[in-house]
Amino acid sequence: MAPQRFHEQFEHIQRSMPGVSLAMGPDEDAHFLYEKGVVLARDGEEAQVVERAVRAHFTATEGLVPDHVRRDGPETGRTGVTRIRVGDPASGDDTVPHALRALREAEDRQGRRLVGRNHVVHIAVNACPGDEPVPVARTQPANPAAAYGGYDADSAVGVLVIDTGLVHDHRSYPLLAHTTGDLQTAETDADGVLRQYVGHGTFIAGILAAVAPSTDVTVRGTLNDAGAILESEFGARLFEAVDESGWPDIISLSAGTTTGSGDGLIGLDAFMRELRARRTLLVAAAGNNASDTPFWPAAYAGLPEYADSVLSVGALRADGDGAACFSNHGPWVRIHAPGERLTSALTGFGTPVPYVYQHSTYEACRFGFDYPCTCRFPRHTGLLSEGRERTGAKPDQVMFDGLAQWSGTSFATPVAAGLVAARMTAHGERDPRTALARLLAATTDTAVVRGAHVPALRPATWRPVPVVATAVPA
């Protein structure tokens, strides 16, 4: 694991959630964040069981106050989840581990998990994409390039992207002429510098439109705030997105989290059940922790009841020869697609805008790989990086005026979603789950990931990028 970048992002995400106190997982390699002093339980009888069990445990435990165990607001209705406060928010102590221990015996009696942390769901990530974007000249084509065939409003496949919003001038990029949705709330800071994660949703929409030109892409800015949201809020926001746009053919989601228990997210239970009952296909990023630990909701693809409704996507390295160093892996990751050094639109093609790097590159791959990966190249010094104040190194700044090169399972996800949509268009298929099954059945392409041959989806318009050391463009 590589905790440094995760630590660098902690304060950034914390600042985006004023009034919420966050904690990291129980060890620095756990790679999840959660809200201090709050647990989640299902509404009704299970929430009551949780309250009673935790209060009884606190009564018998020196230093913990049972009166602090209470429901934190009303039951949340459609998501079926109740927030239960299990500590004094003014104390700064994290009582969640105590509460979880208190529930083990009750969970054993019930035969199911009753409670979970209130995790932070974030852009798929070491709490950031596999790297930060690199400017690309306007004359360089997108990668994947635009597939043959145009847009047909009558047969276009509906794709809903849950991410950051669109940049204000996204339609100046021809592939995004038909894209709709939410605009990014704040693109630049007070100094006119592009904020971190801005353009993430635009970049994804550009990849989708390139792989599958006949798509109606709608981008919802659910993750506008530092690319992160509390689990207790995420389920409701997903319902809002599908209520506003209608249940689409495909949902492309490049966000998630690992969990302390290794199980799924209680806060998404209701949404995932409704998804399963619909015809919509969820295509979700496997995450960028270089780990086989399940990353949710992508890991639902590994559960038999969700095998036809969720597709989890890992990332291939830039030359297509195996997995990218950062990509999660394991039996719950169903396919891999190109996800390193892809090229798409980050900003509109208007006035150039500066960006200051937040993370420094490494002398060696942070995950132990020996190819020239995005951990090492292009070289730059980041604002948040440990030791920068000691060395006096200035963070590097670049200018964006349209295209960028970027890496992460975040971007392998719209490649896979686009290929399912393109299959639907080419064969006149209206059921995305059937289209996925037929696409996978027809796929003979594989990649070697951690010694195993796994299915790989490589668009015909994708060009392998030689993995050689390069410099940051001036």
Side-chain angles (χ1 to χ4, degrees):
M1 294 291 187
Q4 177 182 332
R5 192 166 287 184
F6 191 69
H7 282 267
E8 290 170 3
Q9 285 298 93
F10 179 81
E11 291 299 327
H12 180 66
I13 292 176
Q14 176 66 86
R15 285 195 300 272
S16 76
M17 296 183 176
V20 177
S21 182
L22 299 181
M24 294 187 186
D27 62 80
E28 66 180 11
D29 285 349
H31 284 116
F32 64 84
L33 306 176
Y34 65 95
E35 184 180 9
K36 285 183 180 179
V38 170
V39 296
L40 300 184
R42 298 174 189 87
D43 291 346
E45 182 180 347
E46 289 193 10
Q48 295 172 14
V49 169
V50 169
E51 285 184 279
R52 288 195 298 268
V54 175
R55 190 173 287 114
H57 175 79
F58 280 16
T59 301
T61 303
E62 183 178 354
L64 297 175
V65 183
D67 289 346
H68 291 151
V69 180
R70 64 190 184 281
R71 303 207 184 185
D72 192 22
E75 294 183 350
T76 53
R78 193 169 175 186
T79 62
V81 173
T82 298
R83 286 167 50 96
I84 299 177
R85 184 160 292 283
V86 293
D88 179 5
S91 72
D93 295 333
D94 182 21
T95 51
V96 169
H98 296 283
L100 296 177
R101 284 195 293 272
L103 265 295
R104 286 175 185 164
E105 185 177 338
E107 288 179 326
D108 288 343
R109 289 196 303 270
Q110 296 278 332
R112 65 179 298 187
R113 187 165 63 108
L114 299 175
V115 68
R117 290 176 168 88
N118 191 16
H119 299 91
V120 175
V121 178
H122 49 73
I123 288 173
V125 293
N126 256 318
C128 56
D131 65 352
E132 291 176 87
V134 176
V136 169
R138 293 186 183 185
T139 55
Q140 184 170 322
N143 188 21
Y148 176 77
Y151 173 78
D152 177 15
D154 293 331
S155 62
V157 176
V159 183
L160 175 62
V161 175
I162 304 294
D163 209 88
T164 64
L166 294 158
V167 294
H168 72 281
D169 53 354
H170 63 278
R171 287 188 174 172
S172 61
Y173 184 55
L175 287 176
L176 297 181
H178 304 287
T179 300
T180 60
D182 303 327
L183 295 181
Q184 179 76 41
T185 50
E187 295 183 10
T188 58
D189 63 18
D191 298 320
V193 176
L194 199 67
R195 293 178 182 271
Q196 195 171 16
Y197 302 125
V198 168
H200 193 266
T202 304
F203 195 94
I204 285 170
I207 293 172
L208 267 163
V211 176
S214 193
T215 47
D216 282 323
V217 179
T218 301
V219 179
R220 290 289 165 230
T222 306
L223 300 168
N224 267 336
D225 295 332
I229 188 170
L230 287 172
E231 177 184 341
S232 57
E233 301 171 8
F234 191 43
R237 294 293 300 276
L238 289 174
F239 276 124
E240 289 173 9
V242 295
D243 286 346
E244 184 170 0
S245 304
W247 281 87
D249 296 305
I250 299 168
I251 296 175
S252 179
L253 175 62
S254 293
T257 180
T258 57
T259 64
S261 65
D263 297 319
L265 301 172
I266 287 177
L268 291 192
D269 273 359
F271 181 82
M272 294 304 297
R273 286 196 304 270
E274 186 156 343
L275 171 80
R276 191 174 59 194
R278 301 275 179 166
R279 57 185 290 277
T280 297
L281 174 68
L282 172 64
V283 184
N288 302 334
N289 300 328
S291 168
D292 62 359
T293 301
F295 186 86
W296 304 89
Y300 282 100
L303 303 180
E305 60 268 36
Y306 289 101
D308 67 339
S309 56
V310 181
L311 177 65
S312 48
V313 187
L316 296 175
R317 57 189 261 183
D319 60 3
D321 186 16
C325 67
F326 51 78
S327 182
N328 283 350
H329 54 93
W332 56 273
V333 182
R334 294 186 62 190
I335 62 100
H336 285 68
E340 188 175 56
R341 296 193 172 109
L342 301 186
T343 302
S344 181
L346 181 82
T347 62
F349 288 76
T351 304
V353 59
Y355 177 77
V356 175
Y357 281 104
Q358 304 296 299
H359 308 287
S360 296
T361 45
Y362 296 73
E363 292 302 319
C365 174
R366 55 198 159 121
F367 302 114
F369 282 63
D370 60 5
Y371 76 96
C373 63
T374 53
C375 296
R376 301 167 57 198
F377 304 105
R379 305 290 297 169
H380 49 253
T381 298
L383 182 67
L384 300 176
S385 297
E386 298 169 1
R388 188 181 63 80
E389 294 81 1
R390 185 178 63 255
T391 63
K394 289 185 61 178
D396 291 317
Q397 178 175 301
V398 291
M399 300 293 290
F400 285 103
D401 65 349
L403 296 178
Q405 197 173 77
W406 213 347
S407 305
T409 59
S410 281
F411 313 124
T413 298
V415 171
L419 286 172
V420 176
R423 166 87 195 197
M424 293 175 68
T425 300
H427 296 270
E429 294 170 347
R430 301 315 304 165
D431 186 334
R433 299 179 185 181
T434 299
L436 171 62
R438 291 174 177 169
L439 176 66
L440 295 180
T443 298
T444 58
D445 204 1
T446 63
V448 178
V449 176
R450 310 282 173 154
H453 289 268
V454 300
L457 298 176
R458 297 179 173 94
T461 61
W462 169 72
R463 304 179 310 281
V465 179
V467 282
V468 296
T470 56
V472 175

